[in-house]
Structures are given as C-alpha cells and as structure tokens.
Amino acid sequence: INKLYSSRVSEKSELTGDMLSLILASCLLGLAFGDPTIIFKEEFEDASWEERWVTSTHKGSDAGDFIWSAGKFYGDADKDKGIQTSKDARFYGLSAKFDQSFDNTGKSLVIQFTVKHEQNIDCGGGYVKVFDSNLDQKDMHGDSPYHIMFGPDICGPGTKKVHVIFNYKGQNLLVKKDIRCKDDEMTHLYTLILRSDNTYEVKIDNKKVESGDLESDW
C-alpha cells in the first residue's frame, strides 16, 4: 500500500497549514532494488501512533492538535482512520524517526502517502519532509533543515501544486515544472520515485503526472 523511502537519515513527517480537515491516513518509506525494503511504514491502525510520533511545540498557542479519526466520510469507520487536523487557522507538525539508518546508493527511493482535504481550504499544505537524524523534534518548524519535501500545497486559486524540493549543498531547490495537485475533498495517494540513474517520477493515485531528469528539472 503506502510506502515511504529515503537515504541515511531519520524520517520526520511534517504537516502544516491553515485547515480544518486534512487527514493523513498512511505513509511509508522504502528502498526498491530486487526485493523492496520498507524503511518506515505507518498506517495509524490504532491509538498507539501517539507513542511513535512527536508533536512540535514550536508554534506554541498557534499550534493545533491532531486527532485520530476517519473523518466525515469513509469506506470503513475503523480501517480508514488516520490523523486529522482539528481546528482552522492553526499550524500542525509532527515527526517520527526511522528505526535504522540506510543507504539508497544503487536503489530506487520511494515516498508515498495518502491525504484527504475534507473541506475547500484557502491555504494549507499536506506534505511530508525527510529530515536529518539530528532534528530537534519538539522544536521542528518550517525553517528546520530537511533533505526532501514532497506533497500537495494549496494557497488560493493560484497555488495548487505538488511540491518536490531537494536540499542540495545547503539550498532548497524546487522542481521547475508545475505539478498540479488534487483540490477536491477525496482521498488521494501521492508517490515520489527517485531512481539511481538520476531520474524521477511523480504519481497521483498511481497515475504518472510528471517525470524527468533530476539535473534538468532542478
């Protein structure tokens, strides 16, 4: 199902924005070369997710709380539960560590997760970031250095895009292509594949929406 993959770092997944009903149902990270290796997998199947994830307190009173819920509509009230933002106009961020370090040399790296916006939001992001293992999880914020950022970002009618950002030599480099995200109220599966030949592919709901060469597109 949903998988998340990256190099020798500890994974922190950050969700931010001004929204009420963003639901992250599952996420996974792994390496694909021959038999795929799952580095990180989270399906939020029960309340124990709170033991694995650390909520950032950086925003203080401006921060919102995640709740465990299937949302307003679902296929199965129990199996479709994820973490959901609870209040409008709040900042949301939480992170979880990998159990082990890993190296993706010569392997494909796959980041994959599902997200649902249950209302027509004005401005908000539902993306994940892969951080270095020395991240201060309690103090995680928008300017915390990261390796990869991937996922949908919506702000007004002009910004409805899928971010694909890599940190290279201390700079955050945005993909040059405009990759449009989904802006309806349904659940969507976002996938980023990074291959060892320096090519990439972005999928939404398992359909390719963009691909190319890393050097050319960044």
Side-chain angles (χ1 to χ4, degrees):
I1 304 182
N2 300 329
K3 303 172 182 166
L4 200 62
Y5 304 83
S6 178
S7 62
R8 299 179 59 191
V9 293
S10 96
E11 191 271 347
K12 313 290 190 292
S13 179
E14 178 187 21
L15 300 176
T16 63
D18 300 330
M19 64 193 77
L20 174 59
S21 297
L22 179 150
I23 299 177
L24 180 68
S26 59
C27 62
L28 184 150
L29 185 149
L31 299 171
F33 181 77
D35 294 330
T37 300
I38 297 175
I39 303 300
F40 179 88
K41 181 178 181 179
E42 177 64 79
E43 294 184 309
F44 303 104
E45 293 178 320
D46 54 49
S48 67
W49 71 268
E50 294 182 287
E51 301 172 6
R52 297 184 293 274
W53 292 79
V54 177
T55 299
S56 172
T57 59
H58 181 83
K59 289 294 184 178
S61 61
D62 290 329
D65 295 322
F66 284 98
I67 59 175
W68 186 47
S69 171
K72 294 185 296 184
F73 54 92
Y74 43 79
D76 185 293
D78 294 320
K79 293 181 179 180
D80 290 345
K81 281 186 176 180
I83 53 173
Q84 180 182 33
T85 55
S86 57
K87 294 181 180 180
D88 282 334
R90 291 292 188 270
F91 292 90
Y92 295 87
L94 76 172
S95 61
K97 284 190 173 184
F98 295 148
D99 292 330
Q100 59 183 340
S101 63
F102 61 94
D103 190 338
N104 67 323
T105 302
K107 307 177 183 70
S108 293
L109 173 71
V110 181
I111 299 174
Q112 187 178 78
F113 64 100
T114 60
V115 62
K116 175 171 67 171
H117 294 99
E118 284 198 334
Q119 66 183 38
N120 293 319
I121 63 173
D122 293 324
C123 192
Y127 43 79
V128 298
K129 291 180 177 179
V130 179
F131 293 89
D132 190 83
S133 58
N134 61 9
L135 173 73
D136 183 346
Q137 292 180 264
K138 279 287 188 180
D139 192 50
M140 182 184 68
H141 52 85
D143 293 326
S144 297
Y146 60 87
H147 294 294
I148 301 173
M149 173 174 157
F150 171 63
D153 191 20
I154 299 173
C155 194
T159 301
K160 296 182 179 181
K161 65 187 300 181
V162 178
H163 280 300
V164 187
I165 304 175
F166 301 113
N167 185 281
Y168 181 68
K169 295 183 177 180
Q171 297 186 25
N172 292 332
L173 304 180
L174 285 67
V175 63
K176 296 176 183 177
K177 295 178 177 177
D178 185 18
I179 309 173
R180 186 174 177 84
C181 69
K182 299 293 185 179
D183 60 356
D184 56 34
E185 299 176 9
M186 307 303 291
T187 299
H188 294 288
L189 174 66
Y190 288 85
T191 305
L192 172 64
I193 303 172
L194 303 175
R195 299 187 174 90
S196 58
D197 62 358
N198 284 331
T199 61
Y200 74 97
E201 185 174 337
V202 175
K203 294 183 177 182
I204 301 178
D205 300 330
N206 278 329
K207 295 180 180 179
K208 183 173 71 173
V209 295
E210 195 55 81
S211 63
D213 178 79
L214 293 181
E215 186 173 358
S216 300
D217 291 350
W218 274 265

